[in-house]
Amino acid sequence: MAPFTSHSRSLVAVKFSKKSNTRVYVSACARSNCASMRARRRRAAAASAASPFGDLSTTANVRTMVSLIAVLNATFPHYDFSGVSPNDFTRHTSHQSVINAVNSHLASVLPDYYASMCARWWHAINMQLGIMECDIYSLNPEPEPGSDPMWCHGRVWSCNYFFYSRKLKRVLFLRLGAVSKTAVMAAQRQHMHHHGAAMGGGGDDDGGGGGGGGAAGGGGGALKAEFAAWKKAFAGEEVGEEIEVELTSATDTKLELTMKFVNEDDAHAFSVTLPGGGKAATFASSDDALDEWLAKVSGESYTTTADALSGAAKTYYSLEDDEFGGGGDDD
């Protein structure tokens, strides 16, 4: 008689009989294993049914989740959402509670403006989606700032909602937030201090000038001085509190710069060439995000450094303001 052999996957023992030339299968272990598998399936089905999207064995529910992740990928292209799970979302069953929460947040920061346009705003959304027929979800915030795409320095509060219309196959992603101006300005000053230290080499005690250190070295002293003077004056303007422009390098006729909102993570690179002699400045950028901005500033005739830099920053501010319905403190 051959010894028993056991297979870990099926847990079935096989015994050979020389007398009858037959095989006998002992299947008690297999029945136990099947019961365990059925229990695991039941637990998995229960977890699936308890997800914010319902039973994920249903194609329509999976499609809902995929649609929301697609919106996140389009909105935050620099983040990886491949690890997002169903439980990273929350479903809101009360439409009116969501509307009240949004109204409360916006009224707290824009009391006069929002009071006059609240009804029209919701009416416009309702015309496109039919709010009461939508499923409403939120993406739960991540505990670590670096892993949360909606985190920004000095954030006071933030919220997000997905209004998903199964009937129309449309998704509205609504993201709101308020940022402390004090915290943002403090961070901006700290950044400028470190950036300034990197740009300028220290002089010696005898008054000898330091070398132009950092990325902005290598000539262009006159344009550097004009940029520094402009930045100091521009910081006191309203747009100057929202837009951060930094110098990366300079030549005698060209400035290489970056520009962003103070609460943005990624800066956009561009250059401005200033030929002087009353000739108009020319702008260039390989950043696709600045295509519309580039078209607008290229149509202007700025002949001085200050006018060109102010025009660049104010045009960027106005485009972002038009797109999102207001820049500054509100996302």
Side-chain angles (χ1 to χ4, degrees):
M1 181 180 293
F4 284 96
T5 60
S6 177
H7 303 278
S8 60
R9 284 186 178 273
S10 62
L11 295 180
V12 176
V14 182
K15 182 171 65 176
F16 296 89
S17 174
K18 291 183 179 180
K19 184 177 181 179
S20 60
N21 195 28
T22 60
R23 295 178 181 179
V24 179
Y25 294 88
V26 182
S27 59
C29 292
R31 287 195 296 270
S32 175
N33 189 50
C34 289
S36 176
M37 291 177 64
R38 286 195 296 270
R40 285 198 297 270
R41 290 194 189 101
R42 284 196 297 270
R43 288 194 295 270
S48 175
S51 81
F53 303 98
D55 184 0
L56 293 179
S57 64
T58 303
T59 303
N61 292 339
V62 174
R63 187 182 295 117
T64 299
M65 179 180 170
V66 170
S67 296
L68 302 195
I69 294 176
V71 170
L72 289 171
N73 282 324
T75 307
F76 305 102
H78 301 296
Y79 282 82
D80 180 11
F81 294 96
S82 60
V84 171
S85 70
N87 291 327
D88 289 325
F89 292 90
T90 296
R91 182 173 182 177
H92 301 272
T93 56
S94 173
H95 295 71
Q96 192 58 51
S97 294
V98 171
I99 293 172
N100 291 342
V102 172
N103 289 342
S104 177
H105 279 311
L106 291 179
S108 69
V109 293
L110 300 167
D112 297 330
Y113 175 74
Y114 189 65
S116 65
M117 53 80 69
C118 171
R120 287 180 294 159
W121 193 59
W122 285 113
H123 176 72
I125 294 175
N126 192 52
M127 291 293 291
Q128 294 298 319
L129 290 169
I131 294 175
M132 293 303 173
E133 297 178 0
C134 289
D135 296 328
I136 305 178
Y137 302 90
S138 290
L139 178 68
N140 302 326
E142 292 287 344
E144 296 295 329
S147 58
D148 186 350
M150 283 169 273
W151 183 90
C152 59
H153 186 81
R155 181 176 66 182
V156 178
W157 57 261
S158 69
C159 60
N160 68 88
Y161 298 102
F162 298 85
F163 294 80
Y164 179 66
S165 172
R166 291 178 182 267
K167 179 181 178 181
L168 300 175
K169 295 181 174 60
R170 291 178 180 175
V171 181
L172 168 68
F173 178 51
L174 182 61
R175 173 193 172 202
L176 307 171
V179 178
S180 167
K181 281 188 175 181
T182 302
V184 170
M185 292 177 68
Q188 185 181 20
R189 285 194 295 270
Q190 184 180 15
H191 176 78
M192 291 171 62
H193 172 75
H194 290 308
H195 186 76
M199 284 180 59
D204 56 29
D205 292 338
D206 295 330
L223 280 185
K224 286 182 188 177
E226 291 180 18
F227 172 81
W230 167 81
K231 186 165 183 175
K232 183 176 181 180
F234 188 67
E237 299 183 23
E238 181 180 353
V239 176
E241 295 179 359
E242 305 291 346
I243 302 297
E244 182 178 20
V245 181
E246 298 294 348
L247 177 65
T248 58
S249 66
T251 66
D252 291 338
T253 59
K254 185 177 181 180
L255 295 172
E256 296 283 350
L257 307 142
T258 62
M259 173 173 57
K260 70 183 187 70
F261 275 86
V262 294
N263 59 343
E264 282 184 334
D265 293 326
D266 298 323
H268 304 288
F270 71 101
S271 65
V272 53
T273 301
L274 299 146
K279 296 181 180 179
T282 57
F283 296 86
S285 176
S286 59
D287 191 331
D288 293 339
L290 293 182
D291 285 348
E292 187 177 358
W293 168 87
L294 185 61
K296 285 186 175 292
V297 294
S298 296
E300 302 293 338
S301 298
Y302 304 116
T303 57
T304 67
T305 303
D307 287 345
L309 295 173
S310 293
K314 291 178 180 179
T315 301
Y316 181 68
Y317 178 85
S318 67
L319 287 174
E320 292 290 311
D321 193 47
D322 290 341
E323 181 178 355
F324 296 110
D329 287 356
D330 297 310
D331 290 338

